Amino acid sequence: MPINLVSADYAAILPAVILIATGLAVLIADLFVTDDGYDNPSSEKSHLVWIGVCGAALAFAALFVPSGLLFGAWSENGVASGSEVVFLGALRLDAFGGFAAAIIIVAAGLTTLSSGGYLAAQGQNRGEFYGLVYLGGGAMVLLAQATNLISIFVAIETLSLTVYVLAGFFRKWKLGAEGAAKYFILGAFSSGFLLLGMAFVYGATGEISLAALGKSTADPYLMNVGLLLILVGFGFKVGAVPFHSWVPDAYQGAPATAAGWMAVAVKVCSFAALIRVVVAAGQGGVADAAIGKMLAALAVVTMVLGNLAALNQTNIKRMLAYSGIAHSGYLLIPVVLAFQGTPDPKVGAGALFYLVAYLLMTIGAFTVVAMVSNGDTDREELESYNGLAKRQPFVAFAMTVSLLSLAGMPGTVGFLGKLTIFKDAVYSGPYLYLAFVGILASLVSVYYYLRPIVAMYFREEGETIEIVENNWGVKLTLVLTSFGTIALFFCGKSVHELSVRSIQSITG
Amino acid sequence: MESVNILSILVFTPIVGAALLAFFKPKNTAQVRHAALAISSLTFLLSLGMLWMYSTAMGQHEDGDLAARGSMQLVEFGEWLPSLGVHFHLGVDGISILLVLLTTLLSPLILLSSWKAIGDRVKEFQIAFLLLEGGMIGVFLALDLVVFYVFWEVMLVPMYLLVGIWGGERRIYAAMKFFIYTMVGSLLMLLAMLYLWWHTGTVQLIEHGIVNPETGLLEMMPGLLEVLRTNPLEPTTQVWLFAAFALSFAIKVPIFPLHTWLPDAHVEAPTAGSVVLAGVLLKMGTYGFIRLAIPLFPHGTEVFTPWMLGLSVVGIVFGACMALVQTDVKKLIAYSSVSHMGFVVIGLFVINDLGWVGGIIQMVSHGLSTGMLFLLIGIVYERRHTREISHFGGLAQVIPVFSVMFIIATLSSIGLPGLNGFVGEFMILLGAFREHQWIAIGASSGVVLGAVYMLTLAKRFLFGPLVHEENRNLADLSPRELCYLVPIVVMMFWIGLYPKPFVELIEPSVQLYVDTINK
């Protein structure tokens, strides 16, 4: 079948193409240009950081070009105009994908910015790191736009491969190797589930398009089993309980900034794809209502177990990993509501807005972890943070802002995120209990989010903490994340409106 | 004057000020202290401006009906997150205005009191304190439930830091306990708010105008109070929602048996923390009852009234008994707070004009007298580094001015006629006597016990022989210390001798509320 590419096709893949090109450019630049001698992994290589950040900025700008992904939703009229199916249904040009892409792109930029000094201090600053972030980022952006089973699967596999490598990027770390191996095996396993599920769904409908999930003529048995398997596959990707066992190990073994990247970007694109799937499946097809209940159960156990497991962690990366699991639980609430398809077409907006908050606070927290765990020594234990506020007031402040935001305290955008999600749950009627569980779970979470704050502010310094101090990139990242976390609380209006319009571009 | 958003300015002056302080050099402590004091003094002046604007607005309604005189004034309705249905909605009425003034008055005084006491991380202290001040003012002014909740929680963090960083030996335990206790209550309140939001479709407390996006015209939308009046909630729902709100407020007040965090927090907190806790933070609980729980859920209130009254009487007697046996002065005052706040709760739950006006006056009085007691204890603690009562005695011979101040604060706390404590307690008891005689009788026993433990304290502290030689060289109050004590003493006598202006400020709003509830 011949494909006639029109401008919409180009506009749709422009951000992903820019990201991938950036990844390649970084890899090539690392070959030729070096600060001091050929390939010194202990130098900061700020030229790579610059190329990456510029690429991210370009990709971000590409979302807003005329007929770009977010152009329609951003402009005045308030209607998400210009959602078009492109590449024969493989992708869709809409604001929903654009919104998710924007988060991924910003995450890529911030990860790059914060990694230079950290990787250099670890003596592991190799261009592949950035290359993998951007190549993976391109795949993630495509996943957020993907609307048929094949493109979803291909995007997931591509991005997963890059993330497996990033998880084990520190080759000398035993934990890194262990975490990456676990991640890879379980990831491959989950891809099997996903693929099997897709095969069943294809069998039920005879089509690979996501829209076919809503077909009323499909075979209900095959369709429901297939959907369930697909959900299991996504459950692995987002780290929902009981498919979460890889998360703490992978995060602990990964470089801190890569852990932040994994936590944010993988979650964003997986949730975007998951929401597309459940919205399509929920639209009057043969999908059984029991799937909604199962999703709700998944949300409940994820919120509860994630938070309870985090309570006991003394390693900050593991704690943030369990907190990431818990946040997947909160994010599953809008997924449940989107499946239920309440009359209000903007119920999924909570997920998008929450992901923006999650981006800022998670990258902020992992950047601080990166700063503190400078050098060879193990600086991920909670005691390493004792007395940090005295020596490094700004770093401690940025960490506090991130943690309070993760806990959902007002004054930070994390609160607004939780508020939107819980409000939607209460409004939905039957799933009111999800808000109840979520609120109780966040109460539990307050305890462990406060523990680093106690260490930083209330305890006396044990050992002198040397941190990646004079690195401009790290500092800038922290300024951006902590400022963004607070500023979006006060002026989150336009971002929230954009998230509402974005979700309407697929539900309304 | 319509164009000046005095309330937003009032809320944001300390918050923006705190943000600006962040750019000061931490080494330059004197500069930071002066700047913080200037900001909080400016806030106080602004609050006087608010009082003036409020009185002017009242003056226009001199002969108007109750609804005009008692309703919210200086209302601001700004955009925050319109797509979520949350607006920045502020207003002030007779119920809240005195509490705002109490907050803005105490704040500069507290900063002045910690001039020497806080020597470590001065900048952080000033920032935390100003944020706290902004949060407190915001709670009293908020007319949007979400905004109310935001300010309610925002206060938590700076207070937590105040206790945790500048506190005593067991500060981490006390700070954690304080945070977790408050969080339990407030998250349940959040859930109840969300339910209410879904049920009524609004989180605005009072009627407000929203520009319709389609027609571009301003439409008046009813607030929660109006919606629930015309269309009340199911009785069982009301009971549940009231319980959720009440739990949160009861923890804050604190009502027996949820008070256990308070002695810990008080003892471990630095003087500034204790004063602000006793002076303002506890009042947020009782304010929450007046502003939200009682008017929104009349049936829930009815169901819970016997419980609240009973627990308050128990709290009054229990707090007083506990105060009798304490050896640490701060702990004694902390338990006396439990006892005194019990009176306020009784005043609120008898639901008549007298009880409410008395309750609000008592909130202010308790803030002044207990705040002053904590300031005085802070002063001796700075000199002697102990708070054990047995380490003192005969101080009147050495530091007479201090002793006079201490006696005034003691008498005010006991409720001696002519001082502020009497006015509120008397009105509350009078109001309670009209509705539930036994409750009033039970509560009165607290007044007697209060006299016993406070006078015993004064006796052991100030009079008798001077047994400890270390106390012989204690310095009397410095000019700075007088500076922050005298305004409080003036207010004490003013309220005690001539409470009319205060009562007149409160009364129309209280009448309006009580009338609508009893209808």
Side-chain angles (χ1 to χ4, degrees), chain B residues 77-108:
Chain B
F77 188 75
E79 261 196 355
W80 182 22
L81 279 174
S83 44
L84 195 61
V86 185
H87 298 270
F88 195 70
H89 195 175
L90 300 178
V92 65
D93 71 353
I95 294 172
S96 53
I97 192 161
L98 278 186
L99 295 169
V100 175
L101 288 166
L102 175 72
T103 312
T104 54
L105 170 71
L106 282 181
S107 295

Side-chain angles (χ1 to χ4, degrees), chain A residues 346 353 389-390 393 400 404 407-411 415-416 419-420 422-424 426-429 432 435-436 439-440 442-444 446-447 450-451 453-454 456-460 488-494 496-497 500, chain B residues 12 15 26 79-86 120-121 124 146 149-154 156-157 160-165 171-172 175-176 179-180 183-185 187-188 190-192 194-202:
Chain A
K346 52 180 203 225
F353 190 72
K390 253 193 183 154
T400 306
L404 291 178
M409 290 297 287
F415 167 71
L416 292 182
L419 184 69
T420 28
F422 294 156
K423 184 194 166 190
D424 286 345
V426 171
Y427 267 62
S428 76
L432 185 145
F436 186 68
I439 284 178
L440 289 185
S442 31
L443 175 64
V444 173
V446 167
Y447 179 73
L450 285 183
R451 282 174 65 195
I453 301 180
V454 168
M456 290 185 301
Y457 282 92
F458 300 172
R459 295 195 196 282
E460 288 302 317
L488 273 188
F489 171 78
F490 288 104
C491 337
K493 182 176 162 244
S494 46
H496 188 264
E497 277 169 6
V500 171
Chain B
F12 283 107
I15 294 177
E79 261 196 355
W80 182 22
L81 279 174
S83 44
L84 195 61
V86 185
D120 189 30
R121 297 198 234 179
E124 283 93 332
V146 174
Y149 181 79
V150 163
F151 283 121
W152 180 274
E153 292 281 277
V154 155
L156 209 51
V157 179
Y160 171 72
L161 295 177
L162 278 188
V163 178
I165 299 182
R171 58 180 194 274
I172 296 179
M176 269 298 192
F179 202 103
I180 303 278
M183 235 10 215
V184 171
L187 281 173
L188 287 177
L190 177 65
L191 190 70
L194 289 173
Y195 188 84
L196 200 59
W197 198 350
W198 167 67
H199 202 91
T200 61
T202 180

Side-chain angles (χ1 to χ4, degrees), chain A residues 345-430:
Chain A
K346 52 180 203 225
V347 282
L352 290 180
F353 190 72
Y354 198 87
L355 283 168
V356 175
Y358 188 71
L359 156 82
L360 293 168
M361 55 212 192
T362 306
I363 298 259
F366 274 108
T367 305
V368 174
V369 174
M371 285 179 93
V372 175
S373 54
N374 169 28
D376 302 328
T377 44
D378 189 18
R379 289 263 181 64
E380 290 161 8
E381 294 301 310
L382 212 52
E383 295 103 66
S384 318
Y385 288 77
N386 285 356
L388 187 69
K390 253 193 183 154
R391 271 173 50 94
Q392 296 290 339
F394 175 68
V395 177
F397 168 77
M399 186 67 165
T400 306
V401 169
S402 297
L403 291 170
L404 291 178
S405 183
L406 285 164
M409 290 297 287
T412 60
V413 66
F415 167 71
L416 292 182
K418 283 213 171 85
L419 184 69
T420 28
I421 286 188
F422 294 156
K423 184 194 166 190
D424 286 345
V426 171
Y427 267 62
S428 76

